[in-house]
Amino acid sequence: MRRCSQTRTHHCIPECETSHRDNPIPEEPQEPRLRKVSFTAPRPLSSTSLSTSPNQTSSSASDSESPTTPEDPEFSNPFGSDANDAKFLAPLSPKSGHKSPTSHHRRKGSTVLISSNDKDVRRILGDGVGTTMVEKVCCGGGCCFLSSETAPKWDRESHRQVKRPENEAYQSLRLELGLLGLETELTNLAAVPEQTITLESIPSTEQSMEVEETYKSPPRFVQPHPPYNVYPAKLLNARELTKPGAEKRTYHFDLDVTDYPKESGNVDFVVGGAVGICAPNSDELVDEIFDILGVPRFVRDKPVKLRTTQGRWPTIWGEEMARELITTRRALLKWCADVQSYPPTKSLLRLLGEHAEDENERQILLYLSSAQGQASFCDLRTGPHITLAQLLNAFPSSKPPLELLFSTLNQLMPRFYSLSQDPQSAPHHGSPEQKRVIEVAVSIHETPNWRGGPRTGTGSGFLERMARQLISAKQEEGPIEGLMDGVGHPAADRLDIRIPMFRGLMANPLAREFVSDGPMLLIGAGVGIAPFRGFVQKRLKSANCANKVWVLQGVRDALLDELYSGEWGVDEEKVKKVVQSRRGTGRYVQEEVRHQADLVWFVINALDGRVFVCGSSKGMGEGVEEALVDVAMDKGTLNAEEARAFWEGKKKAGQYVAYVFSGPTTFAHLPQAKCLTDPSQPFDIAILGAPFDTATSYRPGARFGPRAIRHASSRQIPFRAFNPRRGLNPYDSPFKVLDCADIPISPFSNKVALKQMTSAFGTLYAREPAMKFSQGDGASSWFPHPKILTLGGDHSIALPALRALNAVYGGPVAVLHFDAHLDTWHPGRYPSGWDPGNAETAFNHGSMFWMASGEGLILNGSSAHAGLRTRLSGLADWEDDDRQGFLRISADDIDDLGTRGIIDAILERMGTEVPVYLSLDIDVLDPGLCPGTGTPEPGGWTSREVIRILRGLEDLNVVGADIVEVAPAYDGVGEQTSLVAAQIGFEIITSWVSRGLKDMEKAGKKGSKAEIKDEL
């Protein structure tokens, strides 16, 4: 038998009496686990920490939000003696006042923090010559510096510093205003929000019209999915599952759905399904906002006529149209306006500023919505959570009309919760009337309140208030003899508490892959274990299945946090194992997975065996996945790559299902690797983030584009990504698609950043593809190197990508450039007067193709622009563009040519064999559809038109691509720009896979002669 070799990345499965094939039932260890504490000496920074994750989390036992990174003991030379370890990081100056290399103080960090605000930077840099470039850069931590044309101008004699409001709410915002004065000129302010809503008094002739009761349920026009209305389910019972002292409070709810209306399509509540809860804003919060705005009490509940000019509001998913409804101000603020779930937008701040009577408050609010206040605005959005009431208290002189607030605020959306039982089982045994009951478990979400203490979320806070109301009433009346589980208690009838809900039209992945037979292992943590209770109940309805289901439940402390103890309907000691991280030996659920390696291996290799993972704990999903890889390596005698491929195969077959709503956010939930520092991870198509935006000429913020696009791609799931227009699932093909995290990029020096990106692209493009073809026509010419889809970042990232492609392909490539702007501008044509002879200042997001052409990176005569509609400095701009060999297709051309004509013009220009770099600036789309970009230009194409054109260009030989200039700070509340970018990424990947499969077929490969391993 092969013996396990413990390595830094692989944990051997322990061989003990609780881990062997003859006894797969989880058992308690007979001896306490001994833990050794050791101290390691500081080590030089390794290259293994250099590829940053899009949403990095700590792997330690701490729940801290701060990621852990390798120790950096040598500030003056953080890379040690090996220069290769440092090629992706910016060199750091030793003149920052830090301790010498001989100091015993150790700090953790992959970069050295030299400042935390604008004052620190000024103290370090002073006002001397040579700091212009640094002052133009946003450091990424909030101390954004503006270019000279937008920086506040002031002189000492005329300057009148703004006076900060002296109240607790304003102080909690922690705004950095710098030298903002009342006389400061502010530019590029966000537009005043358009008023789309009016509230009118009802004429005397219509006074008899009744207004529906909205105390317990929302108005009928708040429809989840027309024509069905929100159903007021009666709360039969509520109880707290956790004990006092638990870190998170969790409640159980029994809801009466006996009379829930039948829907078409034989839709019903199913195990693993979900319900939507239409939770209102609390009455206390609603009245507080009314009081601040000065809305008289006698008009709050008075019927009014609501008129809207556009959109879905105040419905949830209704048609976009004008509406006329009879309602009340209270009903709208309580049920239809989200006043605490979203960070403030510039539109909201501009609205508050326009209606602020105090000149100081007005200037601060307008500053936050201007170009000069961009850094402070970013801090405000990314800092502590801020509510509308907090803003109104912070700026008490601002009292905008309610209609304008409704026109600006987001729609209050439903919250979804998974069922914690099998709703198809027999009626609740505690209900004397045999009512049909559904059960849910809800953990309470809390964030710090600016008044002190915690503040609960809208949905979980509402449910907790209802639960506490019923629990208190039951405690006052005392227990009822013979009543089981508290269901049917007279207090429930007397209070008649209603929960506005509707049946969700989705089920979690566990439900879709559920089978009635075959062994099943359920691994969960926190409230994520609740849906498993329903699966266990359903399995027990099948004969002889009691010995085929096992549960591993991770909790902090079983005495406080364990959910549904004794309520699984089985002999829990035999089938359920509770793992405690804060009590006893302190074991995490992923450690128990390794401990129960034989059980895991038995289940996953059995006929119809299923391993389900569900949880909300920080880092739980990644930890369990690594543990499963360890199991496959030890029990299957596989190496790390083969073990990961094994679990990927099981995932595609539906035998391994992970439903973890935490951990790193990857593109389309794809597997992620730090490809820059881990060459053992091969790929055919990589998604790579380039969080860089310090070469912008107008509005920064695209550095947050990779994160936003990945988040928006969450609707794409690899096992449910079949593209009907092409008849394939791009994530389920012979080609390996991998999220390669982000390039670590310096925010302090464009020169250093350009070197980092060039080195990173060169490293990845030079890798061998995972799918290795035999030599021959078609396939060998299609994948000589991997494809990389880069998520920007501003558009300047195209230059280092083109340099890398030139190196690996041995010559220039054609560029297909979707953009509103030329981006072939001579740097000297910028009005800021940049020195065209200085390579560092020439590098910007409007001149990178000019630089690339000068370096011989672009094929002259084979490249094309598409979607142009920019203003020019003169006809000389076109002359420069002509010399660089671009075909220009304007946005207006689509009216004459149509999408088919645009496609034909591009194909005629480029052919199907020339290597092409596809570069798509999101501002090619109209800002009315995609406002989240730094340089918006009205009159652009629609997302449907762009996607249609891309689909028609599938036969192009695209060797690399990017999607750039997504700046989420300017996006709409629905994140529409990021959603479009994610869909475009999906279409590009689909086209890559489709052409690859076509070329394989042409070459007669069809996978038979390729070096493809059976993942199963």
Side-chain angles (χ1 to χ4, degrees):
M1 180 177 177
R2 183 180 66 89
R3 296 187 61 83
C4 173
S5 299
Q6 185 86 12
T7 67
R8 183 176 60 82
T9 59
H10 170 57
H11 300 272
C12 291
I13 301 301
E15 295 181 4
C16 62
E17 58 187 39
T18 64
S19 176
H20 54 86
R21 276 185 182 77
D22 298 331
N23 183 16
I25 305 299
E27 295 182 0
E28 290 281 358
Q30 299 301 313
E31 298 294 334
R33 189 161 57 96
L34 300 179
R35 312 190 81 178
K36 296 183 178 180
V37 179
S38 62
F39 299 92
T40 57
R43 58 181 175 83
L45 183 62
S46 165
S47 63
T48 58
S49 67
L50 301 182
S51 181
T52 59
S53 166
N55 188 7
Q56 197 173 28
T57 55
S58 171
S59 61
S60 68
S62 171
D63 284 337
S64 170
E65 295 294 332
S66 302
T68 58
T69 51
E71 296 174 354
D72 180 11
E74 298 180 293
F75 173 73
S76 61
N77 183 11
F79 315 115
S81 58
D82 189 354
N84 292 327
D85 286 342
K87 68 178 181 178
F88 296 112
L89 281 181
L92 302 169
S93 170
K95 301 178 181 180
S96 300
H98 283 257
K99 294 185 178 182
S100 65
T102 59
S103 169
H104 294 288
H105 174 71
R106 295 182 299 170
R107 68 179 300 276
K108 292 185 177 182
S110 57
T111 57
V112 176
L113 179 66
I114 65 171
S115 70
S116 59
N117 52 50
D118 58 334
K119 295 179 180 178
D120 288 346
V121 173
R122 285 195 173 89
R123 173 177 54 80
I124 295 169
L125 299 177
D127 297 322
V129 180
T131 63
T132 305
M133 177 54 64
V134 179
E135 291 177 350
K136 289 178 179 289
V137 176
C138 173
C139 73
C143 47
C144 303
F145 279 93
L146 305 164
S147 57
S148 58
E149 61 267 26
T150 60
K153 299 178 177 61
W154 70 288
D155 63 67
R156 191 176 303 275
E157 294 182 359
S158 62
H159 180 67
R160 292 189 300 153
Q161 185 79 16
V162 294
K163 296 180 180 178
R164 278 72 165 173
E166 296 181 356
N167 60 68
E168 187 179 357
Y170 177 83
Q171 294 171 2
S172 68
L173 301 179
R174 299 201 289 269
L175 292 176
E176 290 290 340
L177 303 180
L179 299 173
L180 178 64
L182 292 174
E183 79 290 345
T184 300
E185 180 182 355
L186 303 176
T187 60
N188 297 321
L189 276 76
V192 177
E194 177 187 0
Q195 181 172 342
T196 60
I197 296 163
T198 57
L199 300 175
E200 303 174 2
S201 299
I202 299 179
S204 57
T205 56
E206 302 179 18
Q207 287 291 338
S208 59
M209 297 181 64
E210 295 184 2
V211 179
E212 59 183 311
E213 173 60 50
T214 59
Y215 176 69
K216 294 183 178 180
S217 295
R220 282 191 296 271
F221 55 72
V222 180
Q223 291 181 319
H225 44 105
Y228 304 107
N229 295 314
V230 176
Y231 176 75
K234 183 178 180 179
L235 180 59
L236 296 177
N237 186 41
R239 53 196 172 94
E240 187 171 356
L241 296 175
T242 50
K243 304 297 188 298
E247 188 164 322
K248 283 189 176 181
R249 302 184 302 280
T250 302
Y251 292 87
H252 170 89
F253 297 85
D254 293 285
L255 304 178
D256 182 3
V257 293
T258 305
D259 299 323
Y260 192 92
K262 293 184 178 181
E263 300 178 10
S264 60
N266 196 27
V267 179
D268 203 351
F269 296 100
V270 296
V271 62
V275 293
I277 304 295
C278 290
N281 296 310
S282 69
D283 291 325
E284 294 78 12
L285 180 58
V286 169
D287 282 324
E288 179 186 5
I289 294 174
F290 277 142
D291 290 341
I292 296 173
L293 296 177
V295 179
R297 291 185 176 274
F298 73 91
V299 304
R300 300 176 185 179
D301 298 289
K302 186 177 180 180
V304 293
K305 181 175 290 187
L306 167 70
R307 295 181 189 270
T308 67
T309 61
Q310 61 186 18
R312 293 189 174 97
W313 198 86
T315 68
I316 298 177
W317 295 302
E319 294 293 331
E320 294 196 10
M321 54 181 286
R323 288 179 171 78
E324 183 176 313
L325 305 166
I326 302 297
T327 183
T328 66
R329 293 175 176 85
R330 181 181 298 277
L332 293 173
L333 187 56
K334 180 176 181 177
W335 295 100
C336 305
D338 197 323
V339 298
Q340 70 173 42
S341 301
Y342 294 89
T345 62
K346 284 197 172 184
S347 296
L348 176 60
L349 296 170
R350 178 67 192 274
L351 175 64
L352 295 178
E354 289 297 316
H355 292 85
E357 297 180 359
D358 181 88
E359 62 177 352
N360 294 283
E361 294 181 13
R362 174 185 174 85
Q363 184 73 345
I364 295 172
L365 288 164
L366 295 182
Y367 173 73
L368 293 172
S369 59
S370 71
Q372 288 75 15
Q374 178 64 32
S376 296
F377 172 71
C378 290
D379 286 343
L380 192 67
R381 284 180 61 89
T382 58
H385 203 79
I386 297 169
T387 66
L388 175 63
Q390 183 178 357
L391 283 174
L392 293 174
N393 278 284
F395 303 97
S397 74
S398 179
K399 302 182 186 301
L402 200 57
E403 294 96 324
L404 287 174
L405 273 178
F406 285 148
S407 300
T408 308
L409 294 172
N410 298 298
Q411 167 73 44
L412 185 57
M413 300 299 290
R415 271 62 174 171
F416 290 90
Y417 302 96
S418 295
L419 300 179
S420 62
Q421 113 283 24
D422 178 13
Q424 299 297 324
S425 60
H428 200 290
H429 58 266
S431 173
E433 301 176 4
Q434 296 297 292
K435 296 181 180 297
R436 189 176 187 194
V437 177
I438 60 171
E439 304 173 10
V440 295
V442 178
S443 284
I444 308 306
H445 175 69
E446 291 184 328
T447 55
N449 190 352
W450 65 274
R451 288 191 170 100
R455 177 182 61 78
T456 58
T458 301
S460 62
F462 163 71
L463 291 172
E464 183 177 38
R465 293 193 299 273
M466 299 300 101
R468 296 310 311 171
Q469 188 177 348
L470 181 55
I471 291 172
S472 298
K474 290 197 304 182
Q475 290 174 345
E476 291 177 2
E477 298 185 14
I480 305 298
E481 185 176 353
L483 191 64
M484 300 181 65
D485 293 344
V487 177
H489 197 287
D493 293 328
R494 177 171 56 82
L495 294 176
D496 192 29
I497 298 174
R498 299 286 172 161
I499 306 297
M501 52 78 64
F502 59 91
R503 179 168 33 228
L505 298 182
M506 79 292 286
N508 63 43
L510 312 185
R512 289 192 290 269
E513 302 298 340
F514 181 83
V515 291
S516 59
D517 202 357
M520 183 168 64
L521 174 62
L522 308 172
I523 306 169
V527 74
I529 203 72
F532 289 165
R533 181 167 169 258
F535 289 109
V536 172
Q537 292 173 352
K538 189 172 182 67
R539 291 300 304 275
L540 293 180
K541 293 168 63 177
S542 301
N544 301 321
C545 283
N547 63 336
K548 293 184 179 180
V549 56
W550 296 272
V551 180
L552 297 182
Q553 178 180 3
V555 299
R556 292 181 176 87
D557 187 332
L559 298 179
L560 304 177
D561 302 297
E562 184 180 355
L563 306 184
Y564 293 118
S565 177
E567 300 182 34
W568 293 78
V570 295
D571 191 349
E572 292 188 20
E573 293 184 357
K574 293 183 178 180
V575 303
K576 186 164 77 78
K577 172 72 174 179
V578 178
V579 186
Q580 305 178 85
S581 61
R582 304 284 177 87
R583 179 179 286 271
T585 56
R587 176 178 293 181
Y588 284 87
V589 68
Q590 52 263 41
E591 297 177 72
E592 188 63 25
V593 169
R594 295 186 178 95
H595 193 70
Q596 300 294 341
D598 289 318
L599 172 61
V600 174
W601 199 242
F602 160 71
V603 171
I604 198 60
N605 288 290
L607 180 65
D608 286 332
R610 295 288 190 273
V611 173
F612 292 149
V613 180
C614 185
S616 59
S617 296
K618 186 179 181 67
M620 176 260 184
E622 313 94 277
V624 169
E625 187 159 315
E626 288 301 316
L628 292 175
V629 169
D630 288 336
V631 170
M633 290 175 66
D634 272 33
K635 298 300 178 183
T637 64
L638 306 174
N639 61 35
E641 181 180 348
E642 292 170 336
R644 291 188 179 92
F646 170 84
W647 286 108
E648 281 299 313
K650 293 297 184 182
K651 186 179 293 185
K652 292 177 181 178
Q655 288 186 269
Y656 167 45
V657 181
Y659 185 53
V660 181
F661 29 95
S662 67
T665 301
T666 66
F667 189 88
H669 301 279
L670 290 167
Q672 182 193 103
K674 295 183 178 181
C675 303
L676 286 173
T677 55
D678 186 3
S680 67
Q681 294 292 325
F683 56 87
D684 297 300
I685 299 172
I687 290 87
L688 181 67
F692 174 77
D693 66 0
T694 58
T696 55
S697 60
Y698 189 47
R699 302 192 302 193
R703 71 179 59 190
F704 301 108
R707 182 188 306 172
I709 298 172
R710 284 185 173 104
H711 177 75
S713 72
S714 296
R715 272 185 54 83
Q716 301 178 32
I717 304 174
F719 64 80
R720 196 171 182 271
F722 185 83
N723 193 329
R725 66 96 176 172
R726 187 45 61 202
L728 59 86
N729 180 344
Y731 306 131
D732 185 14
S733 76
F735 303 103
K736 183 175 181 180
V737 187
L738 189 66
D739 191 318
C740 282
D742 289 347
I743 304 172
I745 302 173
S746 169
F748 297 105
S749 169
N750 285 6
K751 182 178 180 180
V752 171
L754 181 56
K755 289 181 179 180
Q756 291 173 311
M757 290 187 284
T758 302
S759 180
F761 282 121
T763 298
L764 296 184
Y765 272 119
R767 294 270 173 86
E768 289 290 327
M771 181 81 163
K772 298 182 177 65
F773 295 93
S774 301
Q775 293 298 317
D777 294 336
S780 62
S781 63
W782 171 242
F783 260 142
H785 301 284
K787 315 291 182 186
I788 298 177
L789 173 60
T790 308
L791 309 179
D794 69 46
H795 214 152
S796 64
I797 68 168
L799 176 61
L802 289 170
R803 288 176 174 175
L805 288 170
N806 180 270
V808 298
Y809 283 92
V813 299
V815 172
L816 175 54
H817 176 219
F818 287 84
D819 203 321
H821 311 92
L822 288 170
D823 290 355
T824 55
W825 279 302
H826 189 293
R829 303 201 187 280
Y830 270 87
S832 58
W834 288 355
D835 178 9
N838 187 320
E840 186 171 354
T841 57
F843 176 58
N844 64 82
H845 74 156
S847 299
M848 69 283 174
F849 290 140
W850 178 86
M851 294 182 66
S853 294
E855 295 177 20
L857 308 179
I858 299 177
L859 276 174
N860 193 314
S862 298
S863 299
H865 303 292
L868 295 175
R869 58 191 186 278
T870 184
R871 291 167 295 279
L872 305 175
S873 58
L875 292 179
D877 292 345
W878 279 357
E879 294 171 359
D880 285 340
D881 190 64
D882 290 338
R883 281 191 288 271
Q884 295 168 55
F886 276 84
L887 168 71
R888 290 187 294 275
I889 301 174
S890 73
D892 292 342
D893 287 337
I894 203 168
D895 297 330
D896 301 323
L897 303 176
T899 56
R900 185 70 255 172
I902 302 294
I903 294 169
D904 291 341
I906 294 173
L907 288 175
E908 182 180 355
R909 178 73 168 183
M910 297 186 155
T912 58
E913 301 303 324
V914 171
V916 175
Y917 183 74
L918 171 61
S919 186
L920 190 142
D921 189 324
I922 204 68
D923 69 24
V924 73
L925 290 106
D926 190 88
L929 302 173
C930 292
T933 188
T935 50
E937 301 287 354
W941 288 344
T942 67
S943 55
R944 181 167 58 88
E945 291 167 341
V946 170
I947 290 172
R948 178 65 187 86
I949 293 171
L950 288 173
R951 289 174 174 176
L953 299 173
E954 187 172 276
D955 290 335
L956 289 178
N957 182 20
V958 178
V959 296
D962 64 46
I963 303 170
V964 296
E965 299 288 354
V966 174
Y970 316 109
D971 208 356
V973 297
E975 302 173 348
Q976 56 265 44
T977 308
S978 302
L979 287 169
V980 171
Q983 180 64 28
I984 288 173
F986 173 71
E987 297 293 343
I988 292 173
I989 295 170
T990 299
S991 294
W992 271 339
V993 171
S994 177
R995 170 155 174 171
L997 294 174
K998 287 179 182 178
D999 285 353
M1000 286 173 59
E1001 188 173 357
K1002 286 180 183 178
K1005 303 294 187 292
K1006 297 184 180 179
S1008 59
K1009 296 182 181 180
E1011 297 178 20
I1012 308 172
K1013 294 182 179 179
D1014 185 351
E1015 293 182 340
L1016 301 180

